[in-house]
Each structure stands twice: as C-alpha cells, then as structure tokens.
Amino acid sequence: MRAAIVKEKGTPPVLGHFDSPVGTEGHVVVNVSAAALSRVSKFRSMGMHYSSEGHFPNVAGMDGVGTLEDGTRVYFAMPTAPFGSLAEQTLVSERLLIRLPDGLNEGTAAAIANPAMSSWAALVYRAGFQSGQTVLINGATGASGSLAVQIAKGLGAKKIIVTGRNASKLQALEADVTISFDMTAENGQQHFEQALIPAMADGVDVVLDYLWGDSAVAILSALAKTPTERATRFVSIGTASGQEELPLPSAILRASTIELVGSGGNSVSKAEMLSAVKGVFDMAAEGKLTIATAEFGLEEIEAAWDAPLTPRPVVKL
C-alpha cells in the first residue's frame, strides 16, 4: 500500500510502499480517508517526542479518520506500530475508535481532533471547568488556542481573556478581553503583567497556557497580585514559546491560591482523551467549532509536512 514512511529517527517521511496491515484479535484494519498533521504527530513519528515508540521504518501519523470494513465512519488514534495514519490502511485497537457523528465531514474531523481535544481535556479533566467561570487563554492565536476560545464559550464560560503576540489575530477571536504582548521589547514582561492585573480584577478560574516561558511568569505574577480569594488552576499544555524552563519565584505561589497542573499524554488517560474527542466532534457537528484547513494528497507529503500548521494541513487519501 502507499504510505508516508519515516525510515530513521529524526527524518521526515517519504512516499513509498509499506506492507498492508492484517487484523488481529482486538485490532481492526481501517481504510484511511484523511489524516491531519500536528506538531506532536510529526515529532512522534520521527522519534523525537517522549511518547515515541522507536520503530523504524514506520508509517507517519498518530490519528485520522476512515472507514471500517462495514463502511462505518470512525476517528482512530494511536495506530499499532509500525503502522500510522498516513497510509491507505492502518491497524488500530478497537478501544481507540470513535464513530463520527452525522454531519461532520472527514477533513474537519481529522483536522479538529488533536488541537481541540487538548483544550477540551485541559479544561474539563485537568482544570475541572464549570459553566460560568472565567478563563484566560495564553497563546490564543495558534490553532489549539483559538479552538480553546470556541470550546470555552461552548461550555459556558462567563468571561474569556485571550493573550498572545499577534494583536490583529487576537482581535478576530470572540473573546471578552484581548491583551497582546511583545517579550522582545524593553520591559516587555513587566508591561504585559501590568496590563493583565486590571483584566483579572474579578478573578480568573482557569488559565490554559500554550506558551510557557516569560509570558507564563507574567500571568502567574499578575495573578498573585490580584486581590481575590478565588483559586486559579493554571494548566500548562505546551511550550510554543520555545522556553522549556520557567524562572518561577516561590513567593508567587506562597502569596496566592494558584494551582499548577499539566495536561498531556501522561496526565490525561486515553479514555479521557477519547471522551474529549467525542465532545469536540459533537460540538463541531452542531456548528459550534470550526477550523481552517489546507488539503494535500498523499503524494504531496513533503509539501504537507513542511506546511504551516495554520491552516491545519490535512492529507486526503
């Protein structure tokens, strides 16, 4: 079968032929219709993510949509190595399948699952979000962050504050407060912190952070200076800023009711991840979630691999 094959660690996939999978007990063959590219999927396929399984050669891609032998449309996650989603067929555990709701097309389902699932899981399972709460989303201009705005609104957020580096993209989001920052400017972190304090005057229940680094420190510091008894759960989802380490003064935590948690592959169970995807799909089928996509054929895998993640690259098969 045709497939996008990663031949060795750290290398991008190339189009080639790979042995077709055969169903086994508890695992089924899926005829793949579409698979989207995300940062985690690319790095995992190349053996450069903590969840990588280290099988080479392997078929790239960690999730996608397709059909079972009886024609049932499904979303699938974590194909059984060495198979991946960027091939005509893949092998998947029966426990890692979700039936697609009517009204949701394959391209949208493939594109929206990963970035929206991360936000849903962080809000619902790691932050314990409740309708009527206030949410701050740091890094809201990326694919996951912008979907988080839609999800928070769909789940009943009372107030949504968005922050990020691109002022014009922030203004395009359906948020109540937008605050842009420039960490490269002189005193950029201090200016950002000062802008945050009045926006947080009534308290913030949940922070979803996709950036980490200096902007996260500014948010934590501003929270510590906000005169409210409301507890804030700060959820770290990614490090898009490129700063892996956080210079966090202990006084920030000692002077506040901030709770620091993470949301990712080892802090959210597979069952919760799949439940999050189902929630995302139901919301998307109702027209409450949208995502921009750019379509590629499997023969264009090199161009798709190098394409920006916004709009979301979707490989159709």
Side-chain angles (χ1 to χ4, degrees):
M1 65 175 180
R2 294 188 309 145
I5 304 169
V6 177
K7 296 185 176 181
E8 58 185 47
K9 183 177 180 178
T11 62
V14 295
L15 185 64
H17 290 275
F18 206 82
D19 291 342
S20 298
V22 177
T24 60
E25 184 177 354
H27 292 74
V28 295
V29 174
V30 178
N31 298 307
V32 183
S33 303
L37 294 177
S38 63
R39 186 175 184 272
V40 63
S41 179
K42 290 164 68 172
F43 275 77
R44 189 175 189 277
S45 299
M46 295 188 293
M48 299 167 66
H49 189 264
Y50 66 84
S51 67
S52 299
E53 297 180 301
H55 292 273
F56 299 100
N58 68 56
V59 177
M62 65 180 287
D63 67 343
V65 298
T67 56
L68 301 180
E69 185 178 359
D70 63 2
T72 301
R73 300 191 315 146
V74 295
Y75 165 82
F76 61 87
M78 310 301 287
T80 303
F83 300 103
S85 58
L86 289 163
E88 292 175 321
Q89 291 184 318
T90 193
L91 185 67
V92 185
S93 167
E94 293 176 339
R95 295 176 298 174
L96 299 178
L97 299 173
I98 296 176
R99 184 166 183 163
L100 292 190
D102 295 337
L104 183 62
N105 69 66
E106 287 86 351
T108 297
I112 210 166
N114 183 274
M117 170 269 296
S118 68
S119 305
W120 187 290
L123 268 174
V124 175
Y125 298 117
R126 299 301 288 153
F129 172 81
Q130 300 293 322
S131 178
Q133 291 186 326
T134 294
V135 180
L136 186 152
I137 301 167
N138 188 36
T141 59
S144 295
S146 60
L147 283 168
V149 176
Q150 299 178 56
I151 291 169
K153 183 177 181 180
L155 292 176
K158 178 181 179 181
K159 180 180 179 181
I160 301 174
I161 303 167
V162 293
T163 63
R165 291 165 287 195
N166 190 313
S168 60
K169 286 186 177 181
L170 288 175
Q171 292 295 334
L173 300 173
E174 293 186 14
D176 299 291
V177 180
T178 63
I179 304 172
S180 61
F181 57 77
D182 181 2
M183 290 300 159
T184 64
E186 184 177 359
N187 297 320
Q189 183 175 326
Q190 181 181 354
H191 291 319
F192 180 40
E193 180 183 324
Q194 291 172 345
L196 285 164
I197 291 174
M200 297 176 171
D202 296 327
V204 174
D205 301 289
V206 177
V207 175
L208 299 184
D209 176 61
Y210 293 91
L211 301 181
W212 206 232
D214 294 339
S215 64
V217 174
I219 292 170
L220 289 165
S221 181
L223 284 168
K225 296 174 182 177
T226 301
T228 176
E229 295 182 357
R230 285 167 67 179
T232 301
R233 183 159 288 186
F234 186 105
V235 187
S236 174
I237 305 173
T239 56
S241 67
Q243 295 175 284
E244 296 284 345
E245 303 295 328
L246 191 70
L248 180 63
S250 66
I252 287 179
L253 298 181
R254 287 186 284 112
S256 69
T257 54
I258 298 170
E259 298 177 21
L260 282 174
V261 299
S263 185
N266 290 334
S267 58
V268 181
S269 70
K270 288 182 179 179
E272 288 172 333
M273 289 288 192
L274 289 175
S275 176
V277 173
K278 184 180 184 304
V280 164
F281 284 168
D282 289 342
M283 192 175 283
E286 295 172 1
K288 296 178 180 178
L289 279 180
T290 60
I291 187 170
T293 62
E295 293 188 0
F296 297 84
L298 186 59
E299 66 279 1
E300 301 173 290
I301 185 58
E302 293 183 23
W305 201 260
D306 293 334
L309 294 179
T310 305
R312 182 66 62 172
V314 176
V315 178
K316 302 294 287 288
L317 293 103

